[in-house]
Amino acid sequence: MGLPFSLAITLILAQVFYYQKKRLSFLQNTILFMILTILISNFLTITTLEMKWIKSTDDPFLFIVISLYRDGILPILILIFINYFVTPNSAINKILIFSLFLICCLGIDSLLIFFGVLTYINWNLFLSLLVNSAYFFITLSLVKIFLQKEHLHDNSL
Amino acid sequence: MITVYERSFDWNEWFVLLGLFTLHILVWITPKIFDLLRGIAYYLYGITIITFFDHTLSVRPWDLYDVNDSSKYQFIDFLTYVMNGPISYFFIYVYVRFKIRGFGNLAYLLFASSFAVLVEYTGVQIGLYHYVKGYQIVWSFPIYFMMQTLEIILHHLLLRKK
């Protein structure tokens, strides 16, 4: 049940990302996607294998869900919301976008627990939200650097 | 259960450190043919791919091989991933520099994948990789071929979207 559901979510998110109006270029989004994949993979491996705060599934098929989550679902979700967040918006809109992002993360993490993909041992959903927020703000910091460089380049022309 | 292959600082660690240092110096001194962001994208591609495979195939439940001195995830393992950044950078660097086109792509990919397998075989001999849990090096050739093909596709996509 978990695998087809995750595959469906990944495909839907990929399509949303493909069709949405993006503030960032293909190159910028690609770089951010790769950085996020590296960060999320390392964090998940450390928390499951080394710290043992989270237990990942031993089922080889269900493990594909973890791969989809850290290399597809979560990075794409962050990029979708970041591209909306950095378009000119009021402060209230930005708060709404960030809140919606957190709700989506909460939903996905809850599904991972429900399907038995991850089991929280010394961990909880609030900590997951904190970590997902950290990914969001790290990505935002990188986006600010990209946009600053873009602005400097445009001014020099 | 954690498997420890050795505890000494020897060939595999030196291979990673020297490789890391040498390759990054080469990135620094070679004439730049990409703008900064594209160079970063090609660099990150290698690290992303190796991270994906090592965090999928060498961890439970699949757990097909181990990297470096033990089955634990150590900092030297992360440095091994970073070592792949300059490699993927130079893969596209050579591709662009020698203006590889058409069937040249196939020849280049065959050469690059074979070379990658040779380097990996060296890694196995010096204890960088431990294929004692079921993985066989013959699998590496199609994996390298596929990932290098994807990198060429990424390169062309980046050019088209420029």
Side-chain angles (χ1 to χ4, degrees):
Chain A
M1 194 53 180
L3 184 52
F5 202 84
S6 306
L7 273 168
I9 290 183
T10 309
L11 291 167
I12 290 166
L13 285 176
Q15 293 232 9
V16 167
F17 181 69
Y18 182 75
Y19 291 117
Q20 80 170 121
K21 209 167 169 191
K22 292 178 272 290
R23 172 64 182 83
L24 303 170
S25 68
F26 177 74
L27 177 56
Q28 290 165 336
N29 278 311
T30 304
I31 290 172
L32 291 173
F33 180 85
M34 290 192 282
I35 291 173
L36 280 168
T37 304
I38 293 166
L39 273 175
I40 296 166
S41 295
N42 276 282
F43 184 80
L44 209 52
T45 299
I46 290 167
T47 48
T48 53
L49 283 190
E50 303 306 316
M51 311 304 286
K52 300 203 192 308
W53 291 338
I54 303 172
K55 186 185 173 309
S56 64
T57 180
D58 286 331
D59 184 334
F61 283 106
L62 222 45
F63 186 77
I64 298 170
V65 176
I66 293 179
S67 204
L68 282 173
Y69 170 73
R70 61 163 202 232
D71 298 309
I73 294 173
L74 195 53
I76 296 174
L77 190 71
I78 293 169
L79 287 179
I80 287 171
F81 281 96
I82 284 284
N83 274 279
Y84 280 129
F85 195 88
V86 295
T87 50
N89 260 313
S90 64
I92 292 179
N93 275 347
K94 287 188 190 292
I95 292 169
L96 278 171
I97 290 168
F98 183 65
S99 305
L100 194 56
F101 165 73
L102 290 180
I103 291 168
C104 289
C105 286
L106 196 64
I108 289 168
D109 287 341
S110 303
L111 281 170
L112 290 177
I113 297 168
F114 177 75
F115 289 126
V117 177
L118 295 175
T119 309
Y120 289 171
I121 301 172
N122 285 331
W123 198 253
N124 54 56
L125 283 172
F126 177 69
L127 289 173
S128 279
L129 277 183
L130 283 181
V131 170
N132 291 331
S133 302
Y135 295 144
F136 187 91
F137 288 113
I138 289 170
T139 312
L140 195 60
S141 310
L142 291 169
V143 168
K144 295 243 185 274
I145 295 171
F146 288 154
L147 295 179
Q148 250 173 18
K149 280 186 85 68
E150 221 175 70
H151 183 69
L152 281 169
H153 177 74
D154 289 342
N155 279 347
S156 69
L157 291 176
Chain B
M1 197 186 81
I2 297 165
T3 310
V4 178
Y5 297 95
E6 53 177 339
R7 294 184 197 275
S8 56
F9 192 94
D10 56 4
W11 281 102
N12 54 308
E13 282 88 1
W14 282 116
F15 181 82
V16 172
L17 292 175
L18 286 172
L20 205 60
F21 180 74
T22 311
L23 289 168
H24 282 90
I25 293 286
L26 282 172
V27 170
W28 186 262
I29 62 174
T30 45
K32 303 291 172 282
I33 58 173
F34 313 121
D35 56 73
L36 179 63
L37 282 186
R38 271 176 62 210
I40 289 172
Y42 300 139
Y43 179 93
L44 283 173
Y45 180 84
I47 301 174
T48 306
I49 293 301
I50 195 80
T51 303
F52 169 76
F53 277 104
D54 273 7
H55 288 234
T56 306
L57 299 180
S58 75
V59 299
R60 284 178 51 225
W62 292 337
D63 200 11
L64 297 172
Y65 61 88
D66 288 322
V67 182
N68 283 304
D69 291 352
S70 82
S71 55
K72 278 173 71 110
Y73 181 45
Q74 300 172 304
F75 184 63
I76 192 79
D77 296 351
F78 179 71
L79 293 181
T80 310
Y81 304 157
V82 177
M83 197 174 69
N84 282 273
I87 293 171
S88 57
Y89 173 87
F90 280 119
F91 176 78
I92 295 294
Y93 188 97
V94 169
Y95 182 81
V96 169
R97 198 78 173 76
F98 288 96
K99 297 184 173 59
I100 294 169
R101 300 276 184 274
F103 276 103
N105 281 293
L106 180 58
Y108 183 56
L109 283 165
L110 286 170
F111 172 76
S113 303
S114 306
F115 184 74
V117 172
L118 187 66
V119 172
E120 190 175 300
Y121 178 76
T122 310
V124 174
Q125 299 310 306
I126 62 171
L128 183 56
Y129 301 109
H130 303 278
Y131 295 161
V132 293
K133 296 179 173 180
Y135 186 79
Q136 293 174 326
I137 199 165
V138 287
W139 280 103
S140 295
F141 183 85
I143 290 172
Y144 281 123
F145 197 94
M146 196 164 55
M147 294 303 117
Q148 287 164 353
T149 305
L150 285 176
E151 193 179 1
I152 290 175
I153 292 171
L154 173 68
H155 163 68
H156 287 291
L157 274 174
L158 289 175
L159 280 180
R160 203 177 297 170
K161 302 251 181 187
K162 201 175 168 186

